[in-house]
């Protein structure tokens, strides 16, 4: 199994509060991704990273920021959460390491913004 | 609109029947992934295709990437209740960028 963990797995917060989701990997993979999943939309890319301090925007990046100060950690921050950001968030990793080019997903983080 | 379009968005089939799910893009696909998701659970990797014309099979599921690398199909033979779930296709649409985007998913229901 790929060593990828997300935290927290569940969170309920109020509109306007900051929220940070963490993705941690033990595979030393170069690429890390944050997706959100909503009914009827599949997985939509928020941000991704291709190395330490190297990140780029995805399809739905507004309202989100990311940071990657270490290979193993990719943080997703909602500076001021809104109800439209209620979703299930998935982190994924890929690279050319031990696990090859397969894209591995975390278990997901369910965020509810009231 | 999303870069990858899946069709149909929803599919209901009788157990034992064959079915096909399509994934289409207006751009060349570099690395095409198929995933399955049980309702409310995580994603299960099915297959990855890279070369035009490539075809892979696992048990009763076959995936193919067309020669132009702009369309992939997922075919399930003799469907079973265990095949029910959401099927997602994902791909790198910019060569070498590893910017992996996904379609909106196909919800498959198998009726006994």
């Amino acid at each position: 199994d790929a060593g990828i963990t997300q935290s927290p797995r569940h969170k309920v917060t109020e509109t306007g509060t900051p929220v940070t989701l963490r993705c941690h990997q033990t595979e030393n993979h170069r690429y890390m991704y944050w997706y959100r999943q909503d009914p009827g939309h599949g997985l939509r890319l928020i941000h991704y990273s291709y190395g330490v301090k190297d990140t780029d925007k995805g399809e739905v990046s507004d309202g989100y920021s990311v940071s990657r100060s270490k290979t193993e950690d990719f943080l997703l921050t909602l500076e001021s959460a809104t109800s439209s950001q209620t979703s299930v968030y998935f982190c994924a990793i890929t690279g050319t390491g031990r696990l090859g080019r397969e894209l591995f997903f975390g278990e997901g983080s369910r965020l509810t913004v009231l | 609109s999303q870069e990858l379009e899946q069709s149909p968005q929803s599919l209901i089939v009788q157990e034992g029947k064959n079915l096909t799910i399509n994934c289409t893009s207006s751009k060349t696909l570099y690395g095409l992934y198929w995933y399955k998701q049980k309702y409310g659970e995580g994603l299960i990797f099915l297959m990855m295709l890279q070369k035009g014309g490539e075809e892979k099979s696992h048990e009763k599921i076959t995936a193919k990437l067309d020669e132009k690398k702009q369309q992939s199909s997922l075919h399930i033979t003799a469907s079973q209740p265990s095949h029910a779930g959401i099927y997602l296709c994902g791909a790198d649409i910019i060569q070498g960028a590893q910017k992996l985007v996904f379609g909106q998913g196909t919800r498959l229901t198998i009726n006994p």
Side-chain angles (χ1 to χ4, degrees):
Chain A
D1 288 341
I4 175 170
T5 56
Q6 293 183 226
S7 59
R9 295 288 313 280
H10 300 273
K11 186 173 182 65
V12 179
T13 191
E14 293 187 350
T15 298
T17 60
V19 176
T20 295
L21 305 180
R22 180 185 184 228
C23 178
H24 179 76
Q25 61 145 329
T26 58
E27 304 296 338
N28 200 36
H29 271 352
R30 177 181 176 187
Y31 298 95
M32 298 185 75
Y33 305 82
W34 276 109
Y35 295 92
R36 60 177 290 175
Q37 186 175 35
D38 306 287
H41 292 281
L43 288 170
R44 291 184 290 177
L45 181 63
I46 305 172
H47 283 279
Y48 73 109
S49 170
Y50 44 93
V52 174
K53 298 185 179 179
D54 290 325
T55 65
D56 202 356
K57 296 180 179 179
E59 307 161 278
V60 290
S61 59
D62 287 348
Y64 301 94
S65 63
V66 290
S67 66
R68 192 171 179 196
S69 58
K70 299 184 289 185
T71 299
E72 57 266 36
D73 289 326
F74 192 32
L75 304 180
L76 177 71
T77 298
L78 292 66
E79 300 291 346
S80 178
T82 67
S83 58
S84 65
Q85 292 175 313
T86 292
S87 187
V88 180
Y89 292 85
F90 285 96
C91 175
I93 63 173
T94 190
T96 55
R98 176 180 71 89
L99 300 173
R101 286 199 64 217
E102 181 178 333
L103 182 66
F104 290 93
F105 284 87
E107 293 298 311
S109 296
R110 183 175 296 274
L111 175 67
T112 301
V113 183
L114 302 175
Chain B
S1 63
Q2 295 187 231
E3 301 276 7
L4 295 180
E5 291 289 331
Q6 283 186 239
S7 62
Q9 293 189 28
S10 177
L11 187 58
I12 301 173
V13 301
Q14 199 78 21
E15 183 177 352
K17 297 294 187 183
N18 303 335
L19 63 105
T20 299
I21 298 169
N22 293 303
C23 177
T24 304
S25 175
S26 58
K27 301 178 180 179
T28 300
L29 305 173
Y30 302 98
L32 189 289
Y33 298 82
W34 280 102
Y35 282 83
K36 177 188 173 184
Q37 186 180 30
K38 286 283 191 182
Y39 303 122
E41 298 181 12
L43 292 101
I44 302 167
F45 174 75
L46 296 175
M47 276 167 276
M48 179 188 176
L49 307 166
Q50 289 186 274
K51 301 176 183 177
E54 186 176 7
E55 183 174 314
K56 289 186 177 179
S57 293
H58 177 67
E59 296 180 345
K60 295 184 177 181
I61 300 176
T62 300
K64 184 174 181 179
L65 182 62
D66 75 341
E67 289 290 343
K68 290 185 178 180
K69 297 204 299 182
Q70 288 185 303
Q71 181 171 340
S72 178
S73 59
L74 185 82
H75 185 77
I76 298 177
T77 302
S79 58
Q80 301 170 347
S82 61
H83 289 130
I86 299 172
Y87 289 81
L88 292 147
C89 70
D92 184 356
I93 57 172
I94 302 174
Q95 188 174 17
Q98 289 287 114
K99 186 173 183 178
L100 301 174
V101 296
F102 281 79
Q104 73 271 50
T106 296
R107 183 178 291 268
L108 174 63
T109 302
I110 307 294
N111 283 338

